[in-house]
Amino acid sequence: MSTAATAPQRTAPAIGAPVVEARGVVMRFGGLVAVNNVDLTVHEGEIVGLIGPNGAGKTTFFNCLTGMYKPTEGQVTLSGETLPPKPRRVVTAGMARTFQNIRLFSNMTSLENVMVGRYCRTSAGPLTSILRGPKYKREEAATRERAQELLDFVGLGDKAEHLSRNLPYGDQRRLEIARALATDPKVILLDEPTAGMNPQETRQASDLIFRIRDMGIAVVVIEHDMRFIFNLCDRVLCLVRGETLIEGSPAEVQSDPRVIEAYIGGGTDDEEEQA
Amino acid sequence: MRYALPTLSDETRAKHAAKGWPLALLGSALLLVSGLLSWSYDDRILGDISIRFWPVGVQIMAMVLGALGVAFALMDRGPLRRVGNWLDVALGLRALSTGVLVFVALVLAAIATEAGGLVNVNEGGWIALVGALLMFVGSRFVPQRELGQMHSARIPGWAEILVIALSMAAVLFLAAYLLNQDDAWLFVLGLAFIIALSMGLARSGFFTWFGHVAQRHKHVLTLAAFAVAFLFPFTQNGSDANMSIATQVLIFAATAIGLNIVVGLAGLLDLGYIAFLGSGAYIGAMMSNSAFATIGWKPPFLVTMLIGAIVASIFGLIIGSPTLRVSGDYLAIVTLAFGEIFRLAMFNLDGNNGPKLTNGPNGIPGIPDLQIGSFNFGDTHNVFGIPLGRFSNYYFILLLLIGFIILVFTRLNNSRIGRGWVAIREDERAAEAMGVNVFGLKLLAFAGGAFLAGLAGTIKAHQDSAVSPDQYLFLESAFLLAAVVLGGMGTIAGVLIGATILKLMPEKLRFFSEYRLLLFGLLLVLMMRFRPEGLVASRRRQLEFHDEDESLAEEVEDWHLEDVR
Amino acid sequence: MDTFAQQLVNGLTLGSLYALIAVGYTVVYGIVQLINFAHGEVFMIGAFGALSTYLLLFQGQTSLWILPVMIIGAVIASVATAVIMERVAYRPLRGAPRLAPLITAIGISVFLQEFVRLFYDKIPGTNFPSAKQRIPFPRIEGVTGTAFEAGGVVVQKSALFTIGCLIMCAALLWYFINRTKLGHAMQAVSQDPDTARLMGINVDRIIVVAFALGAALAAIAGVAQGLQNANINFKIGFTAGLKAFTAAVLGGIGNIQGAVVGGLVLGVVEALATQYVPGQFGGSAWKDVWAFALLIIVLVFRPQGLLGAKVVDRA
């Protein structure tokens, strides 16, 4: 169902102005160059995939984008402004993320998790919180309402009061996306959103990502699942050993012999390691 | 992570089920009747328990426990069966009987030591013992039954409020009774009675039900609790002895709730918290009318209070500032070092080793009583013909203060800021990545907690009428922490209970004071081992301490869904 | 110049003491990332262990050969305390939130102090003095009195003993960690306990060894402290423990050389501050304040310490 239904959406992406621009990003750890001179531009309403074999520097690059690391050279801008190297400021500037290994606030309910996401868009301070005037009540109600909306959006509307640690795995991934969306991002970065999912959940995930894109939010996805990436993305960037191997449409990347080679090499290595 | 004593297998239990119930009922009935008999030949001990058909003190307690046992038994099968099909009476009966056995054994021990030997025990005591043993044995064989849903147990709203009112009245009565016991044995027996009663009620699920009721009528419960606290001085007939203890408890509790913001809500360990109470107290003393006060300016007390609180919160900001760079254990040690620096500084600033601010080891004595308007806190005032002395006056102002602190605590907890704190506790880096201002919120916890402690300190200076450095040892910080840990991180009721236990016990049990610290150390170790979330646990905290307990998570979720419904 | 040299000697003596205790914090932290707050009490118990050995076996004697036996007594007392502590209180809490072991440590600390205070004179089969006041520590020939005087600088024999102990312990420790199988296993566990376990190392045993090792050094420090101050009491563990922790952090917690360097630096800084901080804030009244202030400054500006910590920022 997903390929047929989503194909028309993909052929007509409403590409807008550039949102994220990474220019010449270099990240060195001591003598090790993890990311070398990588460029990336993401436009409004675009889904960009980031692929590469294990150890290609995807996650390091990702962390440079989200302010976890400060790049050794080069810069990352969001809507033309340089991103501050602090995760919190990055969120306020309009870039949200999810984590590869789910990092929900596990003893909070789903609703509360999403409400934490609203933190940077609300302002009630200690005094207002203690006095509880009408402004406070309005803000709190709005936060709750928005959080519920987002839960409905990702399909967890009826699980608002469940503890997030009790949710099934797929729901936890979706809850993380809802929490990230609550920060009103211009761009959302998803780190392996389908890791550990079954095919049906994967389909639902790509459906959800399309719907996020349709809201006008740019999406960057790191993923190992090739079929998922090539069905989903408007553009794909392939990293190998910290450098850009190729950037282009899914069709271009898919048919590039170097990509196949990099993957077959890396892929077998992976399997041997795990075996 | 739950520990349970070895229990009987289900087969053995099923085999003897028919005998268990009658035994338990008979035992409870015996206990109930024993209260009417004579317990001792000696009429001078435990408030004269030698007269038949004139139950006093421990005899009444035994009758109450017996009555609860009978009620539980009749709820299991019999006329009361309909009352609560959601009450797990079998478990309740077992827990109750264990408590009862300990209680009766203690009573007999008390008679033996006070009157000289077990020969002084009369028929009532022995019958109570037989009853307790029968209860204990019988209840082991009462099988657990199929439980009904908790939410089917709704009773009309007015009845729920009545339950709250009755419970509060019982609390007031028990507190007044316990505090008025000068006899250490009666005090201990009273405690044993309360523990037995609570064990039975807790295991049967009554407290769970009461928790839901309290949740539905939060405001009624709070009002009722304050009404009880407000009425307490009127039960003392103008005697200041207990009121002095009560004010100590209130100051201690107020400070501990402030600490609970830091430890329970923000999840930061502060081992130097007493310094904030101390800076408030020193400011209060230095700006008081004491002959030894070192600051010439004497503003109205409310201004002094505010200055004390602000100075304390500035210290809080300074102590909190390392949280930007260090966390966890490191932070705890930093706060400990700050606490020591505070004490040493107060000890040294005597004019020889630094500016003359604190009079060094002598401190600032002779602080006069508070005077707000024409109301002097040192005088005795008559209200409705009941004299209220000096400590009662302080009690009321402290009650106001603690009300304010509780308000701050709960409102911060249930707000955007409280959610931020939970997020930090759960996963600091994820919180930061979701846009939560981690450093700001940690500082807020330190400064806010310090502010509240500073307020309490300024009152404490007047109430103690002296300040000196040796009131602010590390041990005092450890005590505050213990109140939080014992009572329950993140809850108000827990800290109130913790503070009461830690302050009341040593006052009432003089013989125990020598071993107070020893037991206190042991208590901390045991609590961390067996119930790290405290006596009255915040549900979220409980989950955090039992990360791998899936069934607990389900239980908490059901509870939450029940409240939301 | 004389005063400076004298303060330097005082500082190094004090610092050696801190260093011996600090190693215990650092070894345990390196292995289990736990600040064993009760380590100061282990030191105190070491001092009492030595005293008890003396009172039981050698009362009234002063010859030097007693000293090694006293040290053995001290080590046995401290190591037993530390191992029991680990087994009973800390081990069940592994994997619990980090607040739990720290609060436990405070509980143990208070408990041990009170235990010694209340029961030292009630140990059956002995007639030890009550520990509610200071107890004089035996004066042993050869480590009591002035060793030599050079250019106005007085060096006590007990100071030489303390510094000597540190040098010897440091050398033995270095050998143990780098040249023995058990030492290598400890290094492996501190790097990655899970992998070490998979490699067949008994992690529980290594943790016990770490506690015992720290306790043995603390016991020796306890003897040195007794000889220097000529008396001991149940409270000596608190401040000494806090100072030694400062030393461990100063050098970089988890780093054994760091603990030694940190201890010496802290001792010297304290001694010099007593002498050279001008005006009313100088003198011995404020020396503890400067030591704790140093701790805070280090933690805020260089949490990895002078020589670098194994782990900089643990939640």
Side-chain angles (χ1 to χ4, degrees):
Chain A
M1 158 220 142
S2 71
T3 336
T6 51
Q9 282 175 297
R10 229 182 67 201
T11 51
I15 301 262
V19 186
V20 181
E21 287 185 276
R23 288 278 157 268
V25 171
V26 178
M27 187 72 213
R28 284 194 205 97
F29 297 107
L32 179 81
V33 184
V35 175
N36 192 9
N37 201 20
V38 175
D39 296 334
L40 175 69
T41 309
V42 186
H43 302 84
E44 255 172 44
E46 191 183 30
I47 304 174
V48 175
L50 193 57
I51 61 170
N54 275 354
K58 296 183 305 271
T59 303
T60 312
F61 183 58
F62 202 82
N63 284 337
C64 290
L65 291 181
T66 52
M68 286 276 190
Y69 298 151
K70 186 179 187 303
T72 324
E73 280 170 40
Q75 60 169 358
V76 182
T77 58
L78 182 68
S79 306
E81 310 224 341
T82 309
L83 270 185
K86 271 198 175 158
R88 182 166 64 85
R89 300 264 171 71
V90 171
V91 179
T92 325
M95 183 190 280
R97 69 168 295 180
T98 63
F99 295 89
Q100 188 180 336
N101 39 354
I102 300 173
R103 293 181 82 162
L104 285 167
F105 306 122
S106 54
N107 296 320
M108 293 176 109
T109 62
S110 311
L111 189 72
E112 286 169 331
N113 264 282
V114 183
M115 285 170 86
V116 171
R118 292 300 296 161
Y119 188 93
C120 61
R121 301 294 171 207
T122 44
S123 63
L127 232 62
T128 12
S129 301
I130 294 166
L131 295 175
R132 307 238 149 146
K135 184 172 160 282
Y136 172 86
K137 286 187 178 141
R138 235 178 296 134
E139 189 183 276
E140 192 72 6
T143 305
R144 188 169 286 271
E145 197 183 330
R146 176 84 180 119
Q148 185 63 50
E149 258 172 48
L150 285 166
L151 283 176
D152 292 337
F153 177 77
V154 300
L156 293 175
D158 54 336
K159 299 202 171 153
E161 299 297 342
H162 289 247
L163 282 179
S164 68
R165 69 190 253 180
N166 290 354
L167 293 180
Y169 187 77
D171 287 357
Q172 294 196 355
R173 287 248 174 244
R174 285 190 284 165
L175 179 55
E176 245 200 340
I177 293 177
R179 186 178 69 176
L181 287 175
T183 63
D184 293 346
K186 293 176 192 150
V187 54
I188 181 168
L189 289 81
L190 308 175
D191 197 346
E192 303 205 14
T194 67
M197 282 188 172
N198 63 31
Q200 198 208 337
E201 286 172 328
T202 308
R203 269 196 306 283
Q204 286 174 347
S206 55
D207 220 43
L208 177 59
I209 294 172
F210 281 126
R211 284 195 288 133
I212 293 170
R213 192 266 314 266
D214 293 344
M215 290 162 75
I217 297 171
V219 183
V220 179
V221 187
I222 292 191
E223 192 46 83
H224 272 304
D225 184 343
M226 288 298 143
R227 189 183 302 167
F228 175 76
I229 280 278
F230 292 133
N231 277 330
L232 182 76
C233 298
D234 300 310
R235 225 146 30 79
V236 176
L237 174 74
C238 179
L239 288 182
V240 173
R241 283 182 224 95
E243 297 185 26
T244 310
L245 185 70
I246 180 173
E247 186 190 344
S249 73
E252 284 164 12
V253 175
Q254 206 167 2
S255 57
D256 192 298
R258 288 172 302 167
V259 174
I260 299 165
E261 193 203 349
Y263 258 88
I264 290 172
T268 33
D269 276 353
D270 269 5
E271 276 160 23
E272 276 166 12
E273 268 170 38
Q274 281 161 8
Chain B
M1 280 291 282
R2 299 216 170 150
Y3 298 87
L5 294 167
T7 46
L8 297 170
S9 72
D10 286 342
E11 293 89 68
T12 356
R13 198 162 271 155
K15 220 166 77 190
H16 301 282
K19 295 167 222 158
W21 183 78
L23 277 183
L25 182 61
L26 179 65
S28 309
L30 279 179
L31 192 66
L32 181 58
V33 175
S34 73
L36 297 172
L37 303 172
S38 161
W39 284 42
S40 169
Y41 295 112
D42 195 326
D43 58 4
R44 292 159 303 175
I45 58 164
L46 304 177
D48 194 359
I49 47 174
S50 65
I51 308 172
R52 292 192 179 87
F53 303 106
W54 187 258
V56 292
V58 288
Q59 291 163 307
I60 298 178
M61 294 178 201
M63 291 177 78
V64 171
L65 293 173
L68 184 64
V70 169
F72 272 159
L74 293 183
M75 276 183 221
D76 190 52
R77 62 189 82 158
L80 294 176
R81 182 162 189 134
R82 233 169 37 80
V83 169
N85 68 344
W86 47 270
L87 268 179
D88 196 339
V89 284
L91 278 186
L93 207 51
R94 273 178 230 164
L96 177 72
S97 66
T98 313
V100 164
L101 200 56
V102 173
F103 170 76
V104 174
L106 277 174
V107 174
L108 297 189
I111 296 174
T113 49
E114 293 283 294
L118 279 172
V119 287
N120 290 293
V121 179
N122 213 341
E123 84 281 354
W126 296 120
I127 289 179
L129 183 65
V130 171
L133 282 170
L134 286 179
M135 258 177 103
F136 185 80
V137 175
S139 64
R140 304 293 122 169
F141 293 102
V142 176
Q144 276 172 271
R145 56 179 183 173
E146 198 73 16
L147 292 187
Q149 287 291 319
M150 181 73 76
H151 57 80
S152 65
R154 292 261 171 117
I155 55 173
W158 61 265
E160 292 191 340
I161 290 175
L162 190 68
V163 169
I164 290 178
L166 286 176
S167 318
M168 285 298 144
V171 168
L172 177 63
F173 180 78
L174 278 175
Y177 176 80
L178 270 189
L179 272 172
N180 286 330
Q181 297 316 315
D182 297 324
D183 186 341
W185 265 116
L186 268 181
F187 183 78
V188 170
L189 292 173
L191 279 184
F193 165 70
I194 291 175
I195 291 169
L197 198 63
S198 320
M199 272 166 63
L201 290 177
R203 290 294 276 167
S204 69
F206 177 81
F207 283 166
T208 317
W209 175 78
F210 188 77
H212 285 297
V213 171
Q215 189 76 24
R216 283 195 283 273
H217 304 280
K218 259 183 274 181
H219 298 292
V220 178
L221 183 74
T222 320
L223 274 179
F226 269 95
V228 165
F230 179 80
L231 288 176
F232 175 70
F234 296 95
T235 64
Q236 297 298 311
N237 295 324
S239 147
D240 254 3
N242 285 330
M243 291 319 295
S244 154
I245 301 174
T247 52
Q248 298 283 346
V249 170
L250 278 190
I251 291 228
F252 188 68
T255 322
I257 295 173
L259 176 64
N260 207 4
I261 293 183
V262 182
V263 179
L265 299 188
L268 305 162
L269 194 51
D270 189 341
L271 298 178
Y273 198 74
I274 199 73
F276 303 134
L277 184 72
S279 37
Y282 264 98
I283 292 287
M286 287 189 286
M287 297 171 95
S288 72
N289 286 316
S290 159
F292 300 92
T294 46
I295 295 179
W297 185 43
K298 313 288 175 205
F301 180 66
L302 284 177
V303 177
T304 311
M305 231 172 143
L306 209 59
I307 293 175
I310 289 171
V311 168
S313 56
I314 290 171
F315 284 135
L317 284 180
I318 297 173
I319 295 183
S321 58
T323 50
L324 184 59
R325 300 290 296 271
V326 299
S327 52
D329 309 353
Y330 282 88
L331 181 72
I333 307 287
V334 168
T335 57
L336 179 82
F338 266 114
E340 283 300 290
I341 290 179
F342 173 80
R343 183 180 62 84
L344 290 166
M346 295 304 108
F347 196 86
N348 285 338
L349 294 172
D350 58 356
N352 294 322
N353 293 309
K356 186 176 170 66
L357 278 174
T358 64
N359 289 329
N362 298 326
I364 301 174
I367 304 168
D369 277 309
L370 276 180
Q371 172 96 27
I372 295 179
S374 61
F375 187 90
N376 186 299
F377 280 72
D379 299 342
T380 301
H381 303 265
N382 280 308
V383 178
F384 305 122
I386 299 171
L388 296 174
R390 171 173 186 270
F391 284 108
S392 299
N393 298 330
Y394 282 105
Y395 179 88
F396 286 121
I397 193 175
L398 285 167
L399 208 55
L400 274 183
L401 177 76
I402 213 168
F404 172 70
I405 292 178
I406 290 174
L407 186 82
V408 171
F409 181 95
T410 48
R411 291 208 156 168
L412 283 181
N413 191 15
N414 300 313
S415 73
R416 168 179 178 263
I417 290 171
R419 283 194 297 275
W421 279 331
V422 179
I424 292 173
R425 258 168 27 211
E426 299 252 322
D427 186 338
E428 195 171 316
R429 277 177 52 134
E432 180 88 28
M434 285 303 124
V436 174
N437 184 353
V438 172
F439 180 55
L441 282 184
K442 285 183 175 177
L443 271 190
L444 175 69
F446 268 109
F451 188 91
L452 299 175
L455 286 181
T458 49
I459 299 181
K460 180 178 161 62
H462 288 272
Q463 187 216 305
D464 291 350
S465 74
V467 295
S468 62
D470 55 8
Q471 291 170 309
Y472 303 101
L473 302 175
F474 163 69
L475 210 55
E476 295 297 322
S477 289
F479 263 116
L480 284 169
L481 186 67
V484 172
V485 169
L486 175 69
M489 290 183 205
T491 64
I492 292 287
V495 176
L496 290 176
I497 291 174
T500 312
I501 293 176
L502 283 179
K503 275 281 161 185
L504 197 58
M505 294 281 232
E507 293 288 344
K508 278 292 164 186
L509 303 175
R510 287 284 165 205
F511 63 85
F512 150 103
S513 70
E514 177 78 350
Y515 300 98
R516 185 172 73 120
L517 286 174
L518 188 82
L519 293 175
F520 160 76
L522 205 58
L523 183 75
L524 281 187
V525 176
L526 291 178
M527 283 303 283
M528 281 300 112
R529 176 81 169 78
F530 294 106
R531 202 174 160 82
E533 67 270 30
L535 292 176
V536 183
S538 135
R539 272 168 275 154
R540 181 133 41 210
R541 272 304 203 169
Q542 199 171 5
L543 284 177
E544 287 167 20
F545 275 107
H546 300 282
D547 231 359
E548 70 298 334
D549 193 337
E550 294 304 325
S551 61
L552 180 67
E554 300 283 340
E555 208 174 286
V556 169
E557 183 168 292
D558 288 346
W559 169 295
H560 179 72
L561 291 174
E562 162 80 21
D563 281 341
V564 175
R565 189 179 287 125
Chain C
M1 196 56 215
D2 288 355
T3 18
F4 179 77
Q6 182 68 62
Q7 289 302 347
L8 205 61
V9 170
N10 294 351
L12 285 175
T13 314
L14 196 60
S16 302
L17 206 64
Y18 293 158
L20 280 171
I21 310 172
V23 170
Y25 279 106
T26 248
V27 171
V28 168
Y29 191 89
I31 304 278
V32 272
Q33 282 79 52
L34 163 89
I35 292 177
N36 178 13
F37 187 76
H39 187 59
E41 281 13 284
V42 173
F43 154 80
M44 179 268 290
I45 296 228
F48 273 90
L51 177 71
S52 313
T53 312
Y54 177 83
L55 293 178
L56 280 179
L57 303 177
F58 310 110
Q59 195 142 21
Q61 300 176 46
T62 57
S63 39
L64 185 61
W65 65 269
I66 295 174
L67 194 58
V69 185
M70 282 172 68
I71 291 179
I72 292 171
V75 169
I76 291 174
S78 285
V79 169
T81 309
V83 170
I84 294 172
M85 185 193 311
E86 195 276 333
R87 188 69 195 82
V88 176
Y90 289 135
R91 192 175 298 178
L93 295 181
R94 250 179 254 159
R98 297 177 66 80
L99 216 54
L102 200 58
I103 293 173
T104 299
I106 295 170
I108 297 175
S109 181
V110 173
F111 177 82
L112 288 178
Q113 278 187 34
E114 284 300 301
F115 191 80
V116 170
R117 184 178 76 92
L118 292 168
F119 299 122
Y120 188 64
D121 54 344
K122 297 194 179 69
I123 299 174
T126 65
N127 52 348
F128 293 156
S130 163
K132 286 173 191 170
Q133 313 92 26
R134 295 171 167 192
I135 305 178
F137 202 77
R139 301 169 72 81
I140 303 293
E141 250 172 61
V143 285
T144 309
T146 307
F148 60 85
E149 234 182 295
V153 179
V154 182
V155 179
Q156 302 289 338
K157 284 181 185 161
S158 60
L160 287 182
F161 173 75
T162 312
I163 297 173
C165 281
L166 175 67
I167 294 171
M168 218 164 73
C169 290
L172 283 176
L173 196 62
W174 181 87
Y175 181 82
F176 174 74
I177 301 274
N178 293 306
R179 288 287 181 271
T180 65
K181 211 172 148 196
L182 203 55
H184 288 158
M186 272 178 84
Q187 288 187 19
V189 174
S190 94
Q191 301 236 329
D192 187 340
D194 292 331
T195 312
R197 198 186 301 269
L198 290 175
M199 296 294 122
I201 294 174
N202 183 344
V203 174
D204 280 343
R205 197 169 129 241
I206 297 297
I207 293 173
V208 172
V209 169
F211 269 88
L213 200 64
L217 297 195
I220 294 170
V223 178
Q225 157 96 10
L227 292 173
Q228 266 179 44
N229 285 17
N231 65 61
I232 55 173
N233 66 48
F234 71 95
K235 281 189 277 192
I236 55 175
F238 178 69
T239 315
L242 200 52
K243 293 282 186 61
F245 175 76
T246 308
V249 170
L250 194 61
I253 195 152
N255 178 330
I256 293 178
Q257 293 99 308
V260 175
V261 173
L264 294 175
V265 169
L266 183 69
V268 171
V269 166
E270 220 183 281
L272 295 183
T274 310
Q275 186 69 40
Y276 292 104
V277 172
Q280 292 180 318
F281 289 102
S284 60
W286 290 91
K287 74 179 166 57
D288 288 355
V289 173
W290 300 130
F292 295 141
L294 187 67
L295 168 70
I296 293 163
I297 291 167
V298 169
L299 276 179
V300 173
F301 292 103
R302 201 178 153 78
Q304 70 272 38
L306 297 177
L307 300 194
K310 191 177 92 69
V311 188
V312 179
D313 185 44
R314 282 258 177 180

